[in-house]
Amino acid sequence: VPSGPARMGTADVTESGTPDVLAFLDAQAAAARDAATIAELDAIEIVVLGRARGALTGALKELAALPIDARRARGRELNARKAEFETLFERRRAELAAAGAASDHPDDLSMPPRRIWHGTRHPVTVVIDDVVAIFRELAFAVAQGPEIENEQRNFTALNFPPDHPALDMHDTLYLDAREDGGERLLLRTHTSPVQIRVMQAGPPPYRVVIPGTAYRNDPFDASHAPAFSQIEGLAVDERISFVDLKATLTVFARRFFRHDVRVRFRPSFFPFTEPSAEMDVSCAICGGAGCPACKGSGWMEILGCGMVHEQVLRNCGVDPERFTGWAFGMGPHRMAMVRYAIPDIRLLFGGDMRLLAQFGQRP
Amino acid sequence: VNASRRWLEALLRRPLRSDDLSARLAMLGAPVDIVEPVGADLSAFVVGLVTEARPHPNADKLRVTTVDDGSGTLWNVVCGAPNVVAGGRYPFARIGTVMPGGMVIEKRKLRGEPSEGMLCSARELGLGDDHDGLLALDTDAAPGTALLDVLDAGDERLVIDVTPNRGDLLGHVGIARELGASLGVQFRLPEIPGETGVEVAGPARYGDEAPVGGVRLAIEDRAGCRRFLAATIRGLRVGPSPAWLRNRMVAVGSRSINNVVDATNYIMHELNQPMHAYDVSQLHGPTIVARAARSGEFVVTLDGVRREMPEGALVIADADRVIGVAGVMGGRDTEVRESTTDILLECAWFDPVRVRRSRRALGLATDASHRFERGTDRWGAVDALRRCIRLVLAVAGGALDGGAVDCFPEPGHPARIFLRPTRVAQMLGVSLSIDAIEKCLLAIGATVVAKPGDDRIAVGVPGWRSDLVSEIDLVEEVARIHGYDRLPAELRPFRPGLRDDDASWSAADRLRTALTACGLSEVVTMPMVGGGSGGLRIVNLVSADHAELRQQLLPSLVREVEANWSRRTADVRLFEVGTAFSGAEAVPSEAMHVAFVVTGARAPHHWTDGGKGRDWDRWDAIAIFEDLVALAHPDAKVQVDGSRWIAIAGEDGTVGSCGPCDADAPPWAAPLFGGEVRVVPAVAAVGPFVPLPVFPPVVRDITVGIGVGHPVAALLDLLGSRGRRDALETVAVVDEYRGHGVPAGRRNVTLRLVFRAADRTLTDAEVERTMQRLRGALERERDITVHPT
């Protein structure tokens, strides 16, 4: 590091007698980058860009003496160098000024840093992603299907008898439109019609999870919404039994909630599964002692499940004596409300930045 | 359904605790939603022992007593009851106790004597009308014992969530049968208080028609009414029900009406068989017939509403008119009233589907329709009628006119099903012994014939379980009674499926990743929007805010921005990945869309900005949009369209657009930009790897003068196509200048050209020749001037 600004000396003169100004400039650039004070930097600037005796200024003046071809190339090179030096001096001067200010009046490093916006996935998407990730580990793939369906796939193929009270659990929204074949179209009341599509598309084994939106003719209030998310699962193969259902869903519950969560299966009814069950987990809030969140029972209802009804398999062309399977369905909206203690489902259908921005990864 | 704990105790003949009942019922498939106390809450009252009773010095009718409530303190209590005696035990309300009427017991003085609590009468506790004196407790329980522990009073109502397949659980007997299986006891019907011991013979069996105590009973619609039983009782007295019956009605949440109606309701709640009583004097004919409604018929139902009968609906009629909607509600003209002395009790099996259709057509759901819809016990109807007759005779008097009759034209029998233990093992994953299976089936009331050497069990389904029709139904019953919790939960080997993730799911995931990386937050908006935009209409949704399906996501996002503005949130960055619908063609369609909006600060405000951070602008918006198009619709090209950008993809046409958004913005709001793209679930191939350059680049800037209306993109295209042969690697816009020194309507644009050859270091002379050529090409374009370097 030169202790002071150099002048071009004899050592820099080439054999031809032309001082190698470019090499000199390189050295000065290095010196400028290392300059420790503004005064030092000023001195270098005079040596390079000084109006009277600056090396670069001089070299530019000498251009006129060169033959036209050489002049053009050399001129371009020197002008580029000049621009580089101007930038270099400006930047280094600012750095030294800041450093100088810091040594006299140190910066307050407790001042807030400069941040960027962090985008966020919706809390319901986060729940769905988590569920899908767990089932992916268990060799499930994601299947999807349309939200507009017909009665055949939404009800009939799923073993809903016509005029049966089970239909009351599905207050259906009908569209002002029909299929090509004339069948009435509706908004699917659950993601289960995708089970039918999966099974009709090819032979078992099936191992799929199906996240999606479902629709019911419910009021839009704190605990209901006419559109809501569901995630459905289906596993069909030879030698699949209720034990597999219990085992797989227990693994899921322990991964999704806590490893020490207690799980119980109790009988229930769905037209498309038999035997049918509800899966409860010990209440996340009270741990099972009973609290208002679990209505004192110590349990929280998480999902409905069951062995795929043999009639559903038959409806899809799958031999129920050879193949058996299980299925489940759960509500990510409700799971997100429980997980994040969100009291009103309508908050999950709004775009309040103050709420949504809470669900990002903390950097 | 509402169940009374006391009623279940009477059936199972043992004290029950509601928390234990709830736990057992949950594991049997009938979870208890809520347990609510019936009547006043008496849990604060205790047994008080009167140790001393002496006359009040200042009042003849009052007594001063000393009460031991087990607390160690003896209380001075003034009491007006004539029957208070020393040594007696009475309900005691300590200071602070809230009485059923809402009054709080306080320490006060009565005619100069302090009174520190209250001894209570039955009426004060809401336990009856007896106000003659204190409720003397027939107990030797220690003072301070909770009153409810010594008094058979107070009930709890269990609100049970019964699944639609289990109609049998809509009566207390059904619930008691399930609990009995769990507790290992058999239920027994409780005795009817006040019964005189009259024997009621079984009804005589008929076909379609029978005489019953001077009334003609007939079935004209055999499919709708498969069994029709009746009895005529004459000379009874309609009046208030006895207290025990009233309490039962209150406990299940019913109103007590009169002794006859309460008796029929009692049978419904006990045996799950709805019953109806008609005033015989009002029956024309006198006839009662189950038939299909004829065109134009109507009935004024018990609730006073005139109801037109849908043609073909199953009705009960007399000789001239409809007198009831079968299985739903009776008619007002023939109802039992105070003056009634002769009744006809009806007990029938109505077809669930027919009842359901009537109920839906009339919009009239009742306790009876709820039960008939879920299937009642065709074979248990006889016992229900006999018990109802005994009950009516006990509470309202009168006498049977002739015997009961039973029109059962096609008797048949409940289902018989074969069950293979191997099928049980296949479904449940564990082998249960034949003994264990039979035990489960017997517990639900089935009959079992296992033939030795046969691999099947023949199972006779009980009449009340019309939901059990095939083998798999029995497998479920075995699992349920055996206990789901006793089946193992061991993870066994499985074959993975052979499907890839659905492409649209992967596409949505990539879009979310890209947009969150840009700092945007995902929102989920309601897919139904207000009407009037020409979207696909929903036929039966009442709310005008959700009358049709959205065709685009962006308008909903703009509404959310406005909502944020109204909350004084200025910085909004939202995106949504969701379904948009089209009803434009004859058959509606749906597609995944992605949309975004940005307004306000480009980054969180920082103090070095001095309060002047940069806002999102159109150049940010188009960058996001171009990224989205590349991910969502790789085939599409983005181009300028007036003051917006659009994405066009071959035959799909316009698949996206981006630009400023119209919104109802407050004056302080920053500009709002947004865009939307239809997603095709295809993946743009990434790769292959491009070898890294070995030779250095040569950089040249060039400044051109160009009209403001002349797209720079055309210029970039021109340079790109002309320069590619000559090692032009990239062209970038580095500056645009308008204003002083540049004519109005024109601008200077500086472009930076980077040249690089893959195989050598470019010489200055080479690059200069190329630059000359490119300059020449630009200069030949209309409206472009190239500034000298």
Side-chain angles (χ1 to χ4, degrees), chain A residues 149-158 160 170 172 186-190 192-193:
Chain A
E149 272 292 3
N150 58 25
E151 288 183 312
Q152 165 65 26
R153 270 186 300 267
N154 196 74
F155 292 124
T156 317
L158 286 163
F160 280 79
H170 289 240
T172 311
L186 49 81
L187 290 167
R188 65 181 180 195
T189 58
H190 46 183
S192 308

Side-chain angles (χ1 to χ4, degrees), chain A residues 176-261:
Chain A
D176 188 15
R178 283 175 186 275
E179 260 186 339
D180 271 342
E183 231 203 304
R184 193 149 70 131
L185 288 171
L186 49 81
L187 290 167
R188 65 181 180 195
T189 58
H190 46 183
T191 44
S192 308
V194 186
Q195 285 187 21
I196 302 298
R197 289 174 178 274
V198 167
M199 289 195 274
Q200 287 178 340
Y206 314 120
R207 221 168 155 81
V208 291
V209 281
I210 306 154
T213 307
Y215 298 81
R216 304 226 176 131
N217 197 354
D218 280 333
F220 195 24
D221 60 25
S223 47
H224 300 86
F228 54 93
S229 60
Q230 263 200 347
I231 185 160
E232 180 107 2
L234 173 73
V236 177
D237 201 352
E238 293 170 357
R239 288 183 295 280
I240 295 273
S241 73
F242 201 87
V243 169
D244 300 295
L245 175 156
K246 278 189 72 170
T248 315
L249 292 176
T250 302
V251 167
F252 161 73
R254 294 198 172 137
R255 294 274 283 105
F256 186 85
F257 298 100
R258 292 152 44 115
H259 284 219
D260 60 354
V261 81

Side-chain angles (χ1 to χ4, degrees), chain A:
Chain A
V1 179
S3 56
R7 294 276 162 208
M8 281 182 73
T10 49
D12 300 318
V13 178
T14 58
E15 274 173 37
S16 67
T18 315
D20 186 350
V21 73
L22 295 183
F24 177 75
L25 290 176
D26 286 345
Q28 293 308 309
R33 275 190 286 271
D34 291 339
T37 64
I38 290 182
E40 201 180 310
L41 192 69
D42 287 345
I44 299 170
E45 183 166 15
I46 289 168
V47 166
V48 177
L49 294 176
R51 208 170 278 245
R53 301 181 57 194
L56 188 49
T57 318
L60 282 163
K61 280 180 190 154
E62 285 162 13
L63 279 178
L66 293 180
I68 183 83
D69 285 355
R71 189 196 300 170
R72 177 166 281 163
R74 179 84 171 164
R76 202 178 325 278
E77 176 69 38
L78 292 177
N79 275 316
R81 288 300 183 100
K82 187 179 176 188
E84 284 171 21
F85 267 105
E86 281 164 356
T87 313
L88 173 60
F89 287 131
E90 189 184 336
R91 186 178 300 151
R92 186 64 190 152
R93 191 166 281 120
E95 283 171 11
L96 289 171
S103 61
D104 298 343
H105 309 283
D107 259 351
D108 175 5
L109 297 189
S110 74
M111 288 288 270
R114 181 179 290 115
R115 295 204 173 278
I116 58 168
W117 297 126
H118 290 285
T120 53
R121 287 186 180 225
H122 193 269
V124 172
T125 304
V126 173
V127 167
I128 292 172
D129 286 347
D130 289 354
V131 173
V132 167
I134 295 166
F135 280 99
R136 225 190 273 285
E137 290 172 15
L138 295 160
F140 286 73
V142 178
Q144 295 276 273
E147 293 171 20
I148 298 177
E149 272 292 3
N150 58 25
E151 288 183 312
Q152 165 65 26
R153 270 186 300 267
N154 196 74
F155 292 124
T156 317
L158 286 163
N159 197 37
F160 280 79
D163 283 307
H164 191 271
L167 291 165
D168 295 348
M169 302 194 293
H170 289 240
D171 206 343
T172 311
L173 291 171
Y174 288 94
L175 295 177
D176 188 15
R178 283 175 186 275
E179 260 186 339
D180 271 342
E183 231 203 304
R184 193 149 70 131
L185 288 171
L186 49 81
L187 290 167
R188 65 181 180 195
T189 58
H190 46 183
T191 44
S192 308
V194 186
Q195 285 187 21
I196 302 298
R197 289 174 178 274
V198 167
M199 289 195 274
Q200 287 178 340
Y206 314 120
R207 221 168 155 81
V208 291
V209 281
I210 306 154
T213 307
Y215 298 81
R216 304 226 176 131
N217 197 354
D218 280 333
F220 195 24
D221 60 25
S223 47
H224 300 86
F228 54 93
S229 60
Q230 263 200 347
I231 185 160
E232 180 107 2
L234 173 73
V236 177
D237 201 352
E238 293 170 357
R239 288 183 295 280
I240 295 273
S241 73
F242 201 87
V243 169
D244 300 295
L245 175 156
K246 278 189 72 170
T248 315
L249 292 176
T250 302
V251 167
F252 161 73
R254 294 198 172 137
R255 294 274 283 105
F256 186 85
F257 298 100
R258 292 152 44 115
H259 284 219
D260 60 354
V261 81
R262 282 174 299 123
V263 177
R264 77 172 182 184
F265 293 81
R266 51 186 173 77
S268 188
F269 169 76
F270 308 103
F272 37 93
T273 53
E274 185 157 30
S276 300
E278 298 269 0
M279 185 177 89
D280 297 341
V281 298
S282 46
C283 176
I285 290 160
C286 63
C291 70
C294 57
K295 290 193 282 185
S297 71
W299 295 98
M300 284 200 307
E301 204 175 303
I302 293 303
L303 55 81
C305 55
M307 300 301 292
V308 180
H309 198 288
E310 56 184 25
Q311 189 57 43
V312 174
L313 293 174
R314 227 174 269 131
N315 291 343
C316 296
V318 176
D319 176 5
E321 289 290 327
R322 180 175 163 207
F323 294 104
T324 49
W326 56 271
F328 69 86
M330 55 188 149
H333 268 94
R334 225 178 68 80
M335 292 161 79
M337 290 171 77
V338 171
R339 181 193 263 191
Y340 302 113
I342 295 171
D344 187 326
I345 197 172
R346 286 170 295 196
L347 289 171
L348 293 175
F349 285 99
D352 193 330
M353 283 305 294
R354 300 168 303 178
L355 178 133
L356 298 174
Q358 294 178 24
F359 297 99
Q361 298 289 323
R362 295 278 182 281

Side-chain angles (χ1 to χ4, degrees), chain B residues 173-521:
Chain B
V173 156
I175 301 166
R177 184 182 294 113
E178 293 278 298
L179 285 171
S182 166
L183 291 162
V185 292
Q186 285 263 319
F187 75 89
R188 203 161 65 205
L189 290 178
E191 282 166 22
I192 296 169
E195 207 183 2
T196 48
V198 199
E199 269 302 303
V200 176
R205 183 69 74 78
Y206 292 87
D208 288 320
E209 202 176 330
V212 52
V215 181
R216 176 178 159 265
L217 184 73
I219 298 174
E220 284 179 15
D221 187 329
R222 270 198 194 187
C225 177
R226 309 260 306 259
R227 192 168 196 179
F228 206 12
L229 300 103
T232 301
I233 298 172
R234 294 186 188 272
L236 52 71
R237 254 184 63 193
V238 175
S241 291
W244 73 266
L245 182 53
R246 252 187 355 250
N247 288 342
R248 289 283 187 253
M249 291 298 108
V250 171
V252 296
S254 253
R255 207 159 45 90
S256 170
I257 294 168
N258 59 47
N259 47 7
V260 172
V261 173
D262 287 358
T264 60
N265 284 336
Y266 179 93
I267 296 297
M268 175 173 76
H269 286 288
E270 185 177 73
L271 299 174
N272 190 37
Q273 172 65 55
M275 310 278 305
H276 192 72
Y278 299 88
D279 184 331
V280 171
S281 69
Q282 302 302 315
L283 293 177
H284 296 188
T287 285
I288 191 158
V289 52
R291 63 166 169 82
R294 295 163 192 145
S295 142
E297 283 189 310
F298 69 91
V299 62
V300 176
T301 42
L302 283 173
D303 52 3
V305 179
R306 181 190 148 115
R307 299 179 188 273
E308 310 295 331
M309 291 299 99
E311 200 168 338
L314 190 65
V315 297
I316 305 299
D318 64 13
D320 302 321
R321 60 198 170 144
V322 175
I323 57 170
V325 189
V328 180
M329 193 179 269
R332 195 177 55 183
D333 291 351
T334 53
E335 78 175 305
V336 173
R337 53 199 87 197
E338 237 168 87
S339 55
T340 303
T341 56
D342 302 342
I343 63 163
L344 179 130
L345 274 180
E346 166 205 281
C347 174
W349 187 91
F350 297 125
D351 178 53
V353 171
R354 298 284 291 277
V355 173
R356 180 178 164 82
R357 286 183 189 158
S358 298
R359 188 265 291 172
R360 287 170 66 91
L362 298 173
L364 182 64
T366 61
D367 283 344
S369 71
H370 192 74
R371 288 170 169 82
F372 280 122
E373 269 189 52
R374 281 154 182 77
T376 54
D377 182 0
R378 193 146 78 240
W379 295 275
V382 176
D383 292 338
L385 178 65
R386 290 174 72 183
R387 189 160 166 84
C388 192
I389 294 167
R390 287 167 50 197
L391 187 52
V392 169
L393 296 180
V395 299
L400 261 182
D401 183 356
V405 301
D406 175 9
C407 290
F408 201 8
E410 295 164 73
H413 56 77
R416 274 178 208 141
I417 307 169
F418 289 107
L419 174 64
R420 294 165 296 168
T422 51
R423 184 66 167 162
V424 175
Q426 184 189 17
M427 295 307 296
L428 303 188
V430 289
S431 283
L432 299 180
S433 69
I434 292 196
D435 267 2
I437 292 172
E438 285 186 358
K439 233 178 177 169
C440 296
L441 295 170
L442 292 173
I444 62 163
T447 56
V448 170
V449 186
K451 295 191 205 107
D454 199 348
D455 55 358
R456 304 182 304 177
I457 305 170
V459 181
V461 171
W464 57 86
R465 291 300 302 273
S466 54
D467 58 312
L468 304 180
V469 296
S470 65
E471 183 186 39
I472 192 68
D473 300 326
L474 298 181
V475 172
E476 179 174 62
E477 288 306 292
V478 170
R480 196 171 66 83
I481 301 298
H482 178 73
Y484 283 10
D485 47 351
R486 289 172 63 197
L487 298 171
E490 65 196 26
L491 202 53
R492 293 175 179 175
F494 56 83
R495 289 198 285 176
L498 296 173
R499 287 175 66 104
D500 292 325
D501 278 354
D502 188 280
S504 65
W505 181 254
S506 312
D509 193 61
R510 282 195 300 275
L511 290 164
R512 290 188 181 108
T513 302
L515 286 159
T516 50
C518 294
L520 276 63
S521 286

